[in-house]
Amino acid sequence: MAEELNVLRTWSSPWGLRVVYALKMKGLEYETILEDLKNKSDLLLEHNPVYKKIPVLVHNGKPICESLVILEYIDDTWKQCPLLPQDPYERAMARFWAKFGDDKLLPSIRSGFYTRGKEQEEGVATAIGNLKFIEKLLKGKKFFGGDTIGYLDLAFGWMANVISIMEEIAEIKLIDAETFPLISAWINNFSTHPMIKDLWPPRDRMIEKYKAIREPYLRKEA
Ligand SMILES: N[C@@H](CCC(=O)N[C@@H](CS)C(=O)NCC(=O)O)C(=O)O
């Protein structure tokens, strides 16, 4: 049976990009259905009634939600170019760090981005502390997956997409090459990888978007 793969996402969402990167790594054809999150489609509400969020992968009519769950589904369904490591301990660790990225690292980076003054300094310090764990994971490796891009690289793709944009807008420094030589090299390796670079959202549009997202938080603070 011909596979039908649709991805509900937005042009900029790092969680949506996780899914299309994975499909591309596996060499699968898919259609993107772009969502307007201010006016969610009936299709999105029907396919993700619990969270009402993108991304959703629709495989032969069946929806799968939550980007990390979707990555595992893709890896379980199509065996070429494995994303998760084969070793059970390594698999568990990849899942652990992906969850750390979403639950701990990202909120700390956001708290440095959406604030000013002392609160911002504290957010940046916490984020830098969290990034130190990530730096250690890259010791002796080009990618989190080793020599090739794997599940954890796709899970951390948002770091390559978004951190430098947040740094520029909020005038903060999170990743400098001296403190984080391995993360800096990874960002370069990941963002220039042939499977990844064509799907990269344009920087000027991202800057505009993230400025607009930040603005209401600063107004609330003032
Ligand atoms: N944990 C979710 C996060 C997805 C997410 O935050 N999606 C955002 C766009 S980047 C969304 O759909 N927001 C709409 C809303 O919150 O109403 C995942 O990994 O898929």
Side-chain angles (χ1 to χ4, degrees):
M1 180 174 102
E3 304 279 6
E4 198 192 333
L5 286 167
N6 291 303
V7 183
L8 278 64
R9 66 178 185 108
T10 61
W11 65 271
S12 61
S13 165
W15 321 131
L17 285 171
R18 281 176 175 167
V19 175
V20 291
Y21 291 150
L23 294 172
K24 204 164 170 208
M25 300 290 298
K26 297 278 182 180
L28 299 163
E29 298 282 326
Y30 63 89
E31 291 287 330
T32 284
I33 301 174
L34 283 178
E35 275 294 323
D36 172 3
L37 295 178
K38 293 201 182 89
N39 182 20
K40 294 174 186 172
S41 71
D42 290 343
L43 192 66
L44 174 60
L45 299 177
E46 184 189 310
H47 281 329
N48 192 354
V50 176
Y51 296 113
K52 304 177 178 64
K53 289 186 179 193
I54 56 95
V56 179
L57 172 68
V58 190
H59 179 203
N60 295 334
K62 290 187 297 186
I64 306 107
C65 305
E66 284 295 308
S67 59
L68 294 177
V69 175
I70 299 171
L71 291 189
E72 296 220 24
Y73 176 82
I74 292 172
D75 210 28
D76 287 342
T77 307
W78 295 278
K79 299 294 179 195
Q80 65 274 26
C81 300
L83 297 174
L84 273 158
Q86 297 306 303
D87 175 74
Y89 183 74
E90 294 299 319
R91 287 166 84 83
M93 287 303 99
R95 292 176 177 126
F96 173 86
W97 288 113
K99 190 164 160 44
F100 167 84
D102 282 11
D103 295 353
K104 228 170 143 59
L105 175 61
L106 181 60
S108 65
I109 289 178
R110 282 185 173 148
S111 73
F113 178 65
Y114 288 125
T115 54
R116 283 199 185 113
K118 196 163 162 35
E119 213 183 325
Q120 182 173 58
E121 276 170 33
E122 283 168 8
V124 168
T126 308
I128 288 175
N130 286 333
L131 283 164
K132 288 186 178 158
F133 290 110
I134 307 293
E135 177 79 4
K136 284 198 197 130
L137 299 179
L138 282 165
K139 203 159 174 230
K141 291 188 199 166
K142 181 172 180 187
F143 294 109
F144 292 97
D147 293 336
T148 53
I149 287 181
Y151 165 88
L152 198 48
D153 295 277
L154 302 185
F156 282 151
W158 62 266
M159 291 202 304
N161 284 131
V162 167
I163 288 184
S164 75
I165 297 203
M166 289 180 162
E167 286 178 329
E168 181 176 327
I169 296 170
E171 297 173 344
I172 52 178
K173 196 71 199 161
L174 294 163
I175 298 180
D176 78 70
E178 238 172 77
T179 318
F180 296 113
L182 303 178
I183 300 179
S184 302
W186 172 81
I187 288 177
N188 187 47
N189 291 331
F190 183 78
S191 56
T192 55
H193 191 285
M195 292 290 172
I196 302 293
K197 69 176 183 354
D198 293 344
L199 290 164
W200 212 247
R203 188 175 175 88
D204 51 346
R205 272 187 89 189
M206 288 289 276
I207 295 268
E208 208 179 298
K209 184 183 167 74
Y210 276 78
K211 271 187 184 163
I213 297 177
R214 184 172 185 247
E215 208 265 327
Y217 288 88
L218 300 182
R219 231 186 301 140
K220 245 186 268 162
E221 244 189 26

